[in-house]
Amino acid sequence: MKKKRGLRKLICAGLVFSMVMGLCACGEENQTVSADASLAKQYVYSYEEIELPADIGEDASFSSIARQNDRIYMLADIYNWDDATGSSSREVKLLSVNEDGTDLQTIDVETPNTESDSAAGETEEAVEESTGEDIASEGAADMAVNEGNSSQIYENTSYSNYVIGNSGILYAVKNYYFEDYSDPENYISKQEYYICAWDLEGKFLWQQPIENLQTEESYHYVRALIPAEDGSAIVLISGDSTYKMEVDAEGNLSENKELPNGSDMIQQSNDFMVKEDGTVLMTYYDEDWTHMYLTSYDINTDTLGEAVQLPDSIAWSGYNCLAAGITTDIVYTNSNGVYGFSAGDEQPTQIMSFINSDLNTTNLNKLIMLDETHFIGFYYDIMDYSNRAAVFTKKNPEDIPDKEVIVLAGIYVNNDLKNRIINFNKESEQYRIVVKEYSSYNTMDDYNAGTTQLNNDIISGNMPDILVTNTSLPIDSYISKGLIADVGELIENDEELSQTEFLDNVFKAFSVNEKLYYVVPSFYVRTLAGKTSFLGDKESWTIQEFQDFAASLPEGTSVLGEVTRSTFMYMMMQYGGNDFIDVSTGKCNFNSPEFISMLEIANSLPEELSEDYYGEDYWMTYQSQYREDRTVLMEVYISSLRDMNTTMNGYFGEDINFIGFPTDSGKGSILYTDSSYVLSAKSKNLDGAWQFIRYYLTDEYQESLDWGFPVVKDIFLEKAQEGMERPYYLDENGEKVEYDNYFTINGEDVILDPLTQEQVDQIVDVITSTEKQGYYNENIQNIITEEAEAYFAGQKSASEVAQIIQSRAQIYVDENR
């Protein structure tokens, strides 16, 4: 099918004038040069898979990795679910492997019986008899009800804080909880804590109770277990006070020792790590829980070393695991790779890149450094949703073949996109994509540092080949300076896509001046809907018509329900912002009668919701408000036709109109996209960038969408018909199992029939006739909010405030074009 001609220029929702910093003039000096080929050769590791046992599934978690006698030990906590009985259990296995990844051994860790008093003991027998399950299972939590005597008993045994000591002892904390509330006059509740030990063959050795952790007078808990050089373990206790105990390999517990010095830091500690030389490192947060620090902890003298603040990129971006380093103090992983940091460094040093190493993961669960160029890591494969382990070896850049490099950058790069990049890099013989994620520049003090840095890089001539758009970036300014490639032209020259018929209204909604600059993989619609009995056959309205309608409603009926002033003003700009700012010319129109009317409507709304709004019957009354005509309009997000069944047949229960928000143009429905991309017009590898990004417009991708609507017309229409199907799930044989869709009205569940063909056609008509993008600009929104306060406070008239907003907004837009 031939692609429809017409408007081609996409503008992603609200990507207009949102940075205070304007673009400088961009000329030949801003041409993108070919990316340095060495970028793809940095932080590259090869890896040899360690085949894990089949029973370590995707729900397994890992802890306490350690080296003992030239072998690596790792605990796997395995979650098991029985579909037949609807019950779950956990088991712990100890994995052992040589440092080269060979000779993997799996050892079952024995679970000790729970020691408790006679009452609890009797209860255990009752639970075992009624459930047929071992109540001492790892992490088990079972509720048993004996109908014969109406007894209700709850027992749970769980383990935590696993560490492997230097003497070959596995230590852990056991938490046993018992509750019997079958007799209100003889209620029994108890909680016991133990230090447990096993050998490295999984044999249970002993358990010792930790007395008086939680009493009526005080509350304490085990903060950490730390292996000591002599084979014992240090038990750090936090809570109302901070103290420590020591337990040796035979199970002898020392007396409590209170820790007055540095106890606040230990109370806010996050991780403890032991380096090869025995140094114990500790990370902790400050009192505001914003900045992280690294220090040493001397377990013999109980003193802390000089603390250094960790870079905000660690605290901001987070990490999946933290471990002791060899050439650095610590190593950690985030969604991009492995990093190292030492006291005195200003920033972390990247060790490994997942994307450059072609590793389909965004998460290393645990790792242990073997030497400067090798480590063993356990990770989650995002391709087949499985847990995996491997020995990783650093590759020499000289051994990596040269390819042309494409730089993809964004404030955030989601996991699906990273996965697609890895697959592209594996398949392409000519190109490699490298990723730069600018959120790494963000700090606790400046959440927008990444945005600022990316914008600065672009205006200084470092435009990436592919840019992931964001509402905080002034994409329209980049377009006006000739930095963005014409995607419409790329589609027309594409042998496959030039024959594809896309949804005209989507291209038109995201277009300006008949050129398409954005690749939009999917979209959804936002609008306002209400009963036809209220709205008649109206499908749009002006601001004046909306005001007249609101004034005509009977007492007790609200147009928008409990909407606050600030919420309305936010909606006003989302739906009508393009009426007040012409994105093509930059001309503002905030002193118009329509905008003044909007301010007047906002002034009639409450500043805050009433105190009893979220009362006990909130959800019951919320569900029925539209059926019972207490509220007329609902803001509707249309991203799936099947989900619209709840809106149309549930909330309203009769014919409705999608009328949209009142706007001067009379077009009050808007289109949004969760992701879109632009390409550099100056890229030396534009063909390669297009080769990658075009995938999102192909039938293969469009047919795979399970959220949002496809932009390919025939695929959209085909998926729309799914709205008439009953909901279903796939059973273990891959067969469809249909079920009913329910809606709760005043506490009663009502079965909803699927949408009719007429309803599907109505929704499709709304979607395909919406030709306007949503608007978002934080800076413009802030100008409106700041200046409107004078009107709401009665200090200035609406027209006076509108004129001030017009002046400020026009200056802002002019400075940023």
Side-chain angles (χ1 to χ4, degrees):
M1 291 177 291
K2 186 68 178 175
K3 180 176 65 64
K4 300 277 187 178
R5 308 252 178 212
L7 297 177
R8 298 274 195 265
K9 182 180 176 186
L10 271 74
I11 291 189
C12 187
L15 301 177
V16 199
F17 315 121
S18 55
M19 292 294 296
V20 173
M21 178 179 299
L23 284 173
C24 63
C26 297
E28 291 299 313
E29 69 275 14
N30 282 317
Q31 286 202 6
T32 301
V33 297
S34 297
D36 186 348
S38 67
L39 292 174
K41 300 183 179 185
Q42 296 176 347
Y43 325 122
V44 180
Y45 275 67
S46 62
Y47 49 96
E48 292 292 330
E49 291 282 350
I50 301 172
E51 186 173 353
L52 296 176
D55 57 356
I56 298 183
E58 62 179 285
D59 292 324
S61 59
F62 302 93
S63 63
S64 190
I65 190 168
R67 181 173 5 204
Q68 287 283 330
N69 301 322
D70 297 325
R71 289 183 69 81
I72 305 301
Y73 290 85
M74 162 66 77
L75 255 93
D77 184 1
I78 303 171
Y79 176 85
N80 298 307
W81 173 260
D82 189 333
D83 287 327
T85 63
S87 62
S88 63
S89 64
R90 277 186 163 85
E91 57 182 323
V92 179
K93 293 184 182 293
L94 187 62
L95 308 180
S96 170
V97 67
N98 287 330
E99 292 185 7
D100 62 0
T102 61
D103 188 29
L104 175 69
Q105 299 177 16
T106 305
I107 304 162
D108 292 325
V109 177
E110 294 179 357
T111 305
N113 292 325
T114 300
E115 294 186 5
S116 53
D117 59 24
S118 58
E122 293 171 1
T123 304
E124 288 181 13
E125 295 176 2
V127 173
E128 288 181 345
E129 182 177 350
S130 63
T131 65
E133 296 179 1
D134 177 9
I135 61 173
S137 303
E138 163 66 17
D142 302 300
M143 177 73 76
V145 179
N146 188 323
E147 296 181 358
N149 57 16
S150 300
S151 65
Q152 290 181 303
I153 300 159
Y154 175 83
E155 274 194 299
N156 182 60
T157 301
S158 61
Y159 295 84
S160 61
N161 301 95
Y162 289 103
V163 296
I164 297 173
N166 290 332
S167 59
I169 300 295
L170 170 64
Y171 298 97
V173 176
K174 182 173 82 170
N175 179 0
Y176 169 69
Y177 181 73
F178 166 78
E179 187 175 25
D180 184 347
Y181 47 94
S182 58
D183 182 0
E185 297 182 359
N186 189 30
Y187 171 74
I188 301 173
S189 175
K190 64 186 301 182
Q191 190 158 10
E192 299 170 351
Y193 295 88
Y194 301 84
I195 298 293
C196 299
W198 299 259
D199 63 22
L200 295 186
E201 297 299 320
K203 179 181 178 182
F204 174 68
L205 300 177
W206 48 259
Q207 64 180 15
Q208 291 292 345
I210 309 174
E211 304 291 350
N212 301 320
L213 267 188
Q214 297 176 14
T215 67
E216 294 182 359
E217 293 76 25
S218 65
Y219 173 80
H220 293 87
Y221 59 95
V222 176
R223 167 66 71 176
L225 292 184
I226 304 172
E229 289 186 83
D230 62 2
S232 63
I234 303 300
V235 187
L236 286 182
I237 308 293
S238 289
D240 293 340
S241 60
T242 305
Y243 61 90
K244 78 168 187 178
M245 298 183 296
E246 185 174 351
V247 59
D248 64 22
E250 285 72 42
N252 298 307
L253 275 173
S254 69
E255 296 292 329
N256 296 345
K257 179 181 179 181
E258 192 164 357
L259 303 178
N261 296 326
S263 60
D264 290 343
M265 298 178 186
I266 292 177
Q267 289 271 22
Q268 294 179 241
S269 61
N270 204 51
D271 289 280
F272 290 87
M273 299 142 287
V274 182
K275 299 192 70 175
E276 286 192 336
D277 62 4
T279 302
V280 177
L281 299 177
M282 179 183 83
T283 60
Y284 67 93
Y285 281 94
D286 57 18
E287 293 180 355
D288 297 329
W289 293 91
T290 54
H291 299 294
M292 288 182 62
Y293 294 83
L294 175 69
T295 188
S296 60
Y297 169 49
D298 190 321
I299 60 176
N300 297 312
T301 63
D302 297 314
T303 56
L304 299 178
E306 182 178 354
V308 296
Q309 182 178 331
L310 292 173
D312 275 349
S313 59
I314 300 178
W316 173 268
S317 302
Y319 53 88
N320 301 316
C321 70
L322 189 64
I326 291 181
T327 60
T328 58
D329 287 338
I330 60 173
V331 292
Y332 69 94
T333 70
N334 59 26
S335 61
N336 294 316
V338 183
Y339 297 78
F341 180 82
S342 294
D345 293 347
E346 290 187 5
Q347 293 296 330
T349 300
Q350 187 160 8
I351 295 173
M352 174 194 178
S353 164
F354 294 149
I355 288 179
N356 286 6
S357 302
D358 292 338
L359 187 68
N360 286 102
T361 192
T362 57
N363 178 21
L364 273 184
N365 298 296
K366 284 291 178 181
L367 69 83
I368 184 169
M369 299 299 298
L370 302 176
D371 55 43
E372 187 175 355
T373 58
H374 297 80
F375 66 88
I376 288 180
F378 289 74
Y379 67 96
Y380 187 76
D381 191 303
I382 57 178
M383 282 291 291
D384 61 10
Y385 310 109
S386 65
N387 279 302
R388 295 180 176 271
V391 179
F392 295 86
T393 302
K394 186 175 183 179
K395 294 187 69 171
N396 292 321
E398 301 80 27
D399 299 331
I400 302 172
D402 286 331
K403 290 185 180 181
E404 295 180 59
V405 171
I406 298 167
V407 177
L408 181 146
I411 309 298
Y412 301 97
V413 180
N414 66 45
N415 291 346
D416 288 340
L417 180 56
K418 290 177 181 178
N419 188 53
R420 169 64 187 159
I421 291 169
I422 291 171
N423 294 338
F424 177 86
N425 286 344
K426 288 179 179 179
E427 296 169 359
S428 177
E429 297 181 356
Q430 183 178 359
Y431 301 102
R432 279 199 69 90
I433 296 176
V434 297
V435 171
K436 189 167 186 180
E437 194 166 13
Y438 278 79
S439 60
S440 62
Y441 290 95
N442 292 346
T443 70
M444 293 298 184
D445 300 318
D446 184 359
Y447 298 166
N448 296 313
T451 302
T452 302
Q453 184 64 49
L454 176 53
N455 185 63
N456 288 344
D457 283 355
I458 291 173
I459 66 177
S460 64
N462 293 316
M463 175 77 186
D465 300 287
I466 304 172
L467 176 63
V468 182
T469 64
N470 187 283
T471 56
S472 60
L473 292 171
I475 305 296
D476 63 299
S477 292
Y478 305 156
I479 292 172
S480 68
K481 301 304 179 184
L483 296 177
I484 308 300
D486 184 343
V487 171
E489 183 178 335
L490 292 171
I491 292 176
E492 290 178 355
N493 294 330
D494 189 291
E495 183 177 354
E496 176 188 358
L497 296 182
S498 63
Q499 303 305 308
T500 301
E501 186 174 6
F502 296 99
L503 289 172
D504 282 344
N505 66 299
V506 177
F507 279 16
K508 184 176 181 180
F510 292 100
S511 298
V512 174
N513 295 336
E514 300 187 0
K515 281 195 175 182
L516 173 63
Y517 291 103
Y518 292 81
V519 173
V520 179
S522 63
F523 70 99
Y524 59 96
V525 172
R526 291 177 61 181
T527 188
L528 297 183
K531 290 181 179 179
T532 304
S533 58
F534 270 116
L535 303 174
D537 59 359
K538 292 180 67 65
E539 296 179 355
S540 64
W541 48 9
T542 65
I543 298 168
Q544 184 60 53
E545 289 173 332
F546 173 81
Q547 288 178 297
D548 293 342
F549 175 79
S552 70
L553 292 176
E555 185 176 353
T557 299
S558 170
V559 182
L560 289 168
E562 292 279 350
V563 173
T564 64
R565 184 182 299 160
S566 60
T567 300
F568 179 81
M569 293 177 66
Y570 183 74
M571 293 172 63
M572 170 185 73
M573 288 304 296
Q574 284 185 311
Y575 285 94
N578 289 302
D579 289 345
F580 304 123
I581 297 181
D582 187 323
V583 296
S584 299
T585 64
K587 185 179 186 320
C588 296
N589 191 33
F590 287 103
N591 54 354
S592 64
E594 291 76 22
F595 185 76
I596 293 172
S597 295
M598 285 292 191
L599 289 177
E600 292 171 347
I601 295 172
N603 194 40
S604 68
L605 299 173
E607 186 174 356
E608 296 179 353
L609 294 176
S610 58
E611 293 183 0
D612 59 349
Y613 180 69
Y614 292 104
E616 293 182 1
D617 61 346
Y618 168 76
W619 281 114
M620 183 177 295
T621 59
Y622 179 86
Q623 300 285 80
S624 61
Q625 62 181 309
Y626 305 100
R627 280 178 174 257
E628 297 177 355
D629 297 340
R630 296 194 309 278
T631 305
V632 176
L633 297 175
M634 170 193 284
E635 186 176 19
V636 178
Y637 295 74
I638 310 177
S639 59
S640 163
L641 263 77
R642 186 181 286 117
D643 291 345
M644 288 302 296
N645 188 20
T646 300
T647 299
M648 301 179 77
N649 297 329
Y651 281 105
F652 288 103
E654 61 181 81
D655 292 344
I656 67 172
N657 275 358
F658 297 94
I659 194 168
F661 195 84
T663 63
D664 183 39
S665 63
K667 299 178 180 179
S669 299
I670 51 179
L671 292 173
Y672 272 94
T673 178
D674 286 330
S675 60
S676 62
Y677 314 97
V678 296
L679 306 177
S680 170
K682 310 297 183 180
S683 173
K684 301 299 183 182
N685 287 319
L686 182 58
D687 288 344
W690 175 244
Q691 188 181 121
F692 170 77
I693 212 69
R694 68 178 297 280
Y695 166 76
Y696 292 101
L697 299 177
T698 64
D699 288 358
E700 178 184 354
Y701 177 80
Q702 294 282 300
E703 290 173 349
S704 71
L705 287 170
D706 53 14
W707 173 260
F709 294 115
V711 295
V712 174
K713 185 174 182 178
D714 58 347
I715 298 175
F716 165 78
L717 293 175
E718 180 181 347
K719 285 182 175 289
Q721 296 305 305
E722 296 175 359
M724 294 187 294
E725 298 179 357
R726 292 179 65 202
Y728 66 88
Y729 66 89
L730 299 179
D731 64 15
E732 62 275 8
N733 299 317
E735 300 292 331
K736 281 186 178 181
V737 179
E738 294 184 341
Y739 59 91
D740 289 320
N741 190 11
Y742 287 88
F743 184 78
T744 303
I745 306 172
N746 294 327
E748 295 185 8
D749 290 337
V750 178
I751 296 178
L752 301 182
D753 294 327
L755 295 173
T756 64
Q757 182 67 61
E758 183 180 5
Q759 288 174 316
V760 168
D761 292 343
Q762 182 186 14
I763 301 168
V764 168
D765 183 62
V766 172
I767 294 171
T768 56
S769 63
T770 300
E771 300 178 341
K772 185 173 68 171
Q773 61 176 312
Y775 180 90
Y776 177 78
N777 185 299
E778 183 177 357
N779 293 293
I780 294 291
Q781 192 77 44
N782 288 340
I783 290 173
I784 296 171
T785 301
E786 292 167 8
E787 297 300 338
E789 282 303 313
Y791 167 56
F792 298 146
Q795 299 168 353
K796 295 178 181 177
S797 68
S799 58
E800 288 175 324
V801 165
Q803 187 59 51
I804 296 172
I805 293 173
Q806 166 69 13
S807 176
R808 286 189 60 187
Q810 191 65 68
I811 291 172
Y812 170 79
V813 170
D814 290 342
E815 288 178 346
N816 288 275
R817 281 189 64 77

